[in-house]
Amino acid sequence: MCGIAGFIARPGKGKSMYAPRILQRLEHRGPDDQGWLRFSGRRVESGREWTEPDREPEVLLLHRRLAILDTSNSGWQPMASADGRYHVIYNGEIYNYKELREELQGLGHRFQTRCDTEVLLAACEQWGTGALTRFIGMFAFALLDTTKRTVLLARDCFGIKPLYYSTADGFLCFGSEIKALLAFGSSHPEANAGRLLSYLRYGMTDFGSQTLLRDIRQVPAAHSMEISLDRPSSPEPRRYWSADAGDELEISFEEATQHVRELFLRNVELHLRSDVPLGAALSGGIDSSAIVMAIRHLDSRADIHAFSFIAEDSTLSEERWIDIVGAEAGAHVHKVRVTAGELADDLTGMMHFHDEPFGSTSAYAQYQVFRAAGAAGIKVMLDGQGADEILGGYMHYQGARLASLVRQGRWSEAAQLVHSFSGANGVGRYKGLAHCADYLLSPSLQSIARRLAGRDPFPAWLDRTWFAKRGVGPEFMHYTLAREVLHDTLSRSVTETLPGLLRYEDRNSMAFSVESRVPFLTAELVSFLGRLPESYLISSTGTSKAVFRAAMRGIVPNVILDRRDKLGFATPEGRWLNALDVWVGGILASDSARQLPFLNIDVARAGWAAVRNGKRPFSFGVWRWINLIRWSEELGVVYS
């Protein structure tokens, strides 16, 4: 797990002078070591301590190392292939590196280290971009081919590890974080109006290749991009894997249950490979509990350290469930409690690590959990991120399942599912039907329906005219023409919703030099789940994650598997912000807030006053205003 950065430039266009500053900005991602490589013509030079070049190189590779596998100096990067043709800087872990190394040895490759970086190099040398689908892991890397005179940028199937890039007149720079690209001076922090609306209305930032900054893009998940040194423009990224799994499998529920169990346990076993202390995040829900209990199932003597956020609000606290799993696993449970004052004190520092706003204060709870893990000496954490998006864990996925049944004319099954929503109470039924409508109504009808329900995509605090002048309108993320609405929705969630959550995971963990691993996210497991009948994911009685719950029987306590509520790292956001009324009011009254041309700040302030006085229910939009204002200040964002 590391931080990477670099550039590809035409002669005289390089910007090596910024290398020391960039290495310093990425230090938190790799405090154990650093390295650099410069390439021009046929000349390669590299080292640890930076030296000024005689002339600007065509390629600059920069690396900060967090040593996890083979912590010796032999894992130093940039790493070269045995013949010196290839050089790589790499952020991530290839968990099946032992199996790949054995296969590659059979093909004649010889290895000098025990680290996965050397395996990645040899695999790319042997199979080219075909190696990308052989990797079980998370990665973002830049591979220099000195013979072909290209640099390959690649990112893992789910975008677990970040990779940003920017282009300008014969210069392409890339890096693990936006702040590294801004340090090159090639990009100005000018806002992307379309992404701005997506964030303010729906809390979404990280999907596709765009970011909240107009001139900075990201290599999308499951894509690679090859850049020619002789034409260092920005080619279109190419997809090498898709979450669209293919035709439905003819398989019984019992057979599917057994296979899911085998795949998941194998995933956890692979993700436990580490040469440094390892722990797990434990929220008390099914996913994180399954990881902790799987560790115990695989190793009866494992010394398990679990880290849990405990909400002050008893209605949000998962402490009861955490204690049950901790006791059953025989784990050392480290409980993290957070106050509103800590949130205010930490926001500036957290913004520095994230580079983009985040959707709610639950990201701060996760930030504190990783802080506790780092303080306890843990360098690797396993986390349940991604399970909801591949197993249908949220309420709106039940709406998608209902939409499938309606679209297929299976009316009796649809009626049974509607009856099951939240125990058949009125609120639950309304929400389930509303979510179903989101998938079935065309965008034009959705626009009318949302206005009638008081869900205008442009509430009074947003300046509709500002966005219209920039060609930006509301996006209706859910609507689909598919018959298998749930599978289509889950597939889109992997590419549209999940990347933002993985960004929070990466930034929060790396802020404390901790590597976070997500064993639910492997191509094999996701593809298999995507080919199961939808009823195996959400049952006729509305039980989410049905096949996974069944697969974990005998491993996870039944009381956890039988839970129908869902909290996760839920925070008392409304209570926190009420306690911070002076702080919130100060941000909303600041000059920075008044300078945002798309935010009707007086309306926003009146809205906050109504929430504070109990005249209006709390809205997550309040946090997004605060977060965006502080982000704009932190990066000096321009809104043209």
Side-chain angles (χ1 to χ4, degrees):
M1 189 62 59
C2 308
I4 66 174
F7 67 66
I8 302 103
R10 291 196 181 102
K13 295 288 186 179
K15 299 184 178 183
S16 295
M17 70 181 77
Y18 298 115
R21 181 166 69 182
I22 293 165
L23 286 168
Q24 189 276 327
R25 288 192 176 188
L26 294 176
E27 183 177 7
H28 59 283
R29 299 190 72 91
D32 297 331
D33 206 347
Q34 70 174 37
W36 56 268
L37 178 145
R38 296 189 289 255
F39 174 73
S40 289
R42 297 182 179 179
R43 181 186 179 191
V44 176
E45 55 180 340
S46 61
R48 275 189 170 83
E49 298 302 319
W50 177 255
T51 61
E52 293 298 326
D54 298 329
R55 60 177 181 172
E56 284 295 336
E58 294 176 272
V59 177
L60 173 69
L61 303 180
L62 302 173
H63 187 262
R64 296 289 322 207
R65 186 184 183 204
L66 179 65
I68 302 295
L69 297 173
D70 190 350
T71 59
S72 71
N73 288 336
S74 62
W76 181 82
Q77 297 182 43
M79 183 177 286
S81 60
D83 62 2
R85 174 177 174 175
Y86 299 97
H87 301 263
V88 72
I89 50 174
Y90 154 55
N91 169 29
E93 301 288 353
I94 305 300
Y95 304 119
N96 63 331
Y97 74 100
K98 292 182 179 180
E99 291 77 7
L100 288 173
R101 182 169 60 190
E102 185 176 337
E103 182 179 358
L104 288 162
Q105 284 174 329
L107 294 170
H109 292 266
R110 297 294 176 262
F111 294 90
Q112 304 300 316
T113 76
R114 295 184 295 106
C115 69
D116 59 329
T117 308
E118 190 179 15
V119 174
L120 183 149
L121 258 177
C124 289
E125 184 177 5
Q126 181 69 39
W127 298 304
T129 55
L132 300 175
T133 55
R134 292 174 175 260
F135 297 145
I136 300 175
M138 53 184 181
F139 56 82
F141 66 82
L143 178 73
L144 167 65
D145 183 337
T146 59
T147 300
K148 194 178 174 183
R149 289 180 54 79
T150 59
V151 172
L152 176 71
L153 301 180
R155 196 172 179 205
D156 65 69
C157 292
F158 304 97
I160 304 168
K161 293 293 101 184
L163 187 54
Y164 297 94
Y165 68 96
S166 181
T167 60
D169 189 27
F171 180 84
L172 183 149
C173 61
F174 61 89
S176 297
E177 296 188 3
I178 287 173
K179 64 175 66 66
L181 272 63
L182 294 176
F184 273 120
S186 61
S187 301
H188 299 289
E190 185 171 342
N192 177 335
R195 282 296 189 266
L196 189 63
L197 181 60
S198 295
Y199 171 70
L200 287 169
R201 288 299 288 126
Y202 311 113
M204 297 183 67
T205 56
D206 300 72
F207 54 99
S209 62
Q210 297 183 46
T211 71
L212 264 171
L213 296 179
R214 192 180 68 178
D215 296 328
I216 292 181
R217 304 177 74 83
Q218 58 186 335
V219 177
H223 281 70
S224 65
M225 189 166 75
E226 188 173 75
I227 303 110
S228 167
L229 271 58
D230 301 311
R231 296 178 301 279
S233 58
S234 174
E236 283 299 311
R238 298 182 63 180
R239 176 177 287 279
Y240 65 82
W241 178 82
S242 173
D244 296 327
D247 296 335
E248 184 177 294
L249 292 170
E250 294 185 7
I251 187 173
S252 70
F253 185 81
E254 292 72 22
E255 290 171 325
T257 294
Q258 182 59 33
H259 195 55
V260 167
R261 182 186 179 101
E262 292 170 357
L263 286 175
F264 179 70
L265 289 176
R266 174 59 173 159
N267 281 0
V268 173
E269 185 177 37
L270 285 174
H271 283 68
L272 289 174
R273 289 178 172 175
S274 171
D275 294 332
V276 297
L278 181 147
L282 175 60
S283 71
I286 293 171
D287 312 326
S288 62
S289 298
I291 290 173
V292 171
M293 294 308 305
I295 296 172
R296 175 57 69 222
H297 179 80
L298 292 164
D299 184 354
S300 61
R301 296 185 299 175
D303 185 25
I304 303 175
H305 286 263
F307 295 82
S308 304
F309 167 73
I310 308 298
E312 295 173 300
D313 188 335
S314 60
T315 63
L316 298 176
S317 176
E318 299 261 54
E319 189 167 16
R320 171 195 170 194
W321 311 107
I322 289 165
D323 288 342
I324 290 172
V325 175
E328 187 73 19
H332 307 284
V333 179
H334 305 253
K335 296 180 179 180
V336 177
R337 304 178 193 272
V338 182
T339 66
E342 289 174 297
L343 169 65
D345 292 340
D346 282 341
L347 181 59
T348 297
M350 192 174 171
M351 290 300 310
H352 169 76
F353 291 116
H354 276 253
D355 287 338
E356 289 187 283
F358 39 95
S360 75
T361 55
S362 63
Y364 179 63
Q366 186 187 62
Y367 179 82
Q368 288 282 39
V369 164
F370 282 116
R371 170 180 275 166
I378 299 295
K379 292 189 72 172
V380 172
M381 288 274 283
L382 271 62
D383 191 280
Q385 198 69 263
D388 289 310
E389 288 74 22
I390 64 175
L391 287 162
Y394 295 120
M395 178 64 188
H396 68 86
Y397 292 130
Q398 295 194 0
R401 175 62 182 143
L402 176 60
S404 289
L405 296 173
V406 170
R407 188 157 279 170
Q408 295 165 26
R410 296 160 62 179
W411 303 109
S412 61
E413 294 173 77
Q416 183 181 9
L417 186 60
V418 169
H419 182 74
S420 75
F421 286 161
S422 296
N425 66 51
V427 174
R429 189 172 297 146
Y430 168 78
K431 287 183 177 179
L433 292 171
H435 289 310
C436 177
D438 280 342
Y439 295 103
L440 295 180
L441 293 179
S442 67
S444 59
L445 290 177
Q446 278 195 55
S447 182
I448 296 171
R450 290 186 180 195
R451 285 189 174 90
L452 291 174
R455 298 163 62 200
D456 193 327
F458 282 102
W461 49 266
L462 271 181
D463 187 335
R464 183 191 302 262
T465 303
W466 188 87
F467 287 100
K469 287 180 178 177
R470 288 151 184 81
V472 175
E475 295 184 53
F476 298 96
M477 307 297 294
H478 292 153
Y479 176 68
T480 178
L481 294 171
R483 279 176 56 81
E484 298 283 334
V485 178
L486 176 59
H487 274 317
D488 180 71
T489 300
L490 293 174
S491 178
R492 288 196 292 167
S493 291
V494 167
T495 58
E496 295 175 1
T497 306
L498 187 56
L501 300 175
L502 292 171
R503 193 248 298 180
Y504 304 162
E505 184 96 14
D506 173 82
R507 302 310 187 278
N508 284 335
S509 61
M510 295 309 294
F512 304 102
S513 304
V514 174
E515 174 178 297
S516 182
R517 299 178 175 181
V518 283
F520 280 95
L521 295 180
T522 64
E524 187 176 12
L525 178 58
V526 171
S527 295
F528 180 73
L529 293 171
R531 297 185 64 194
L532 294 179
E534 288 188 349
S535 61
Y536 289 12
L537 302 180
I538 296 179
S539 73
S540 59
T541 59
T543 301
S544 64
K545 306 179 183 178
V547 71
F548 186 69
R549 291 175 195 255
M552 290 296 101
R553 295 289 175 186
I555 295 177
V556 177
N558 286 338
V559 68
I560 301 295
L561 294 175
D562 294 336
R563 290 186 64 181
R564 296 294 294 268
D565 58 333
K566 180 171 182 58
L567 292 174
F569 281 168
T571 58
E573 187 160 308
R575 181 181 295 182
W576 278 358
L577 294 185
N578 270 317
L580 294 170
D581 178 39
V582 174
W583 179 73
V584 173
I587 293 174
L588 294 179
S590 66
D591 290 340
S592 299
R594 293 196 171 278
Q595 290 169 8
L596 299 181
F598 50 83
L599 186 62
N600 295 325
I601 194 61
D602 290 334
V603 177
R605 292 181 65 192
W608 166 242
V611 169
R612 183 190 62 213
N613 295 327
K615 296 179 179 179
R616 186 181 300 176
F618 176 76
S619 166
F620 288 110
V622 175
W623 171 254
R624 293 173 198 155
W625 303 336
I626 296 167
N627 212 219
L628 190 77
I629 293 165
R630 291 295 295 112
W631 173 72
S632 300
E633 293 174 340
E634 176 73 19
L635 263 65
V637 180
V638 175
Y639 297 95
S640 59

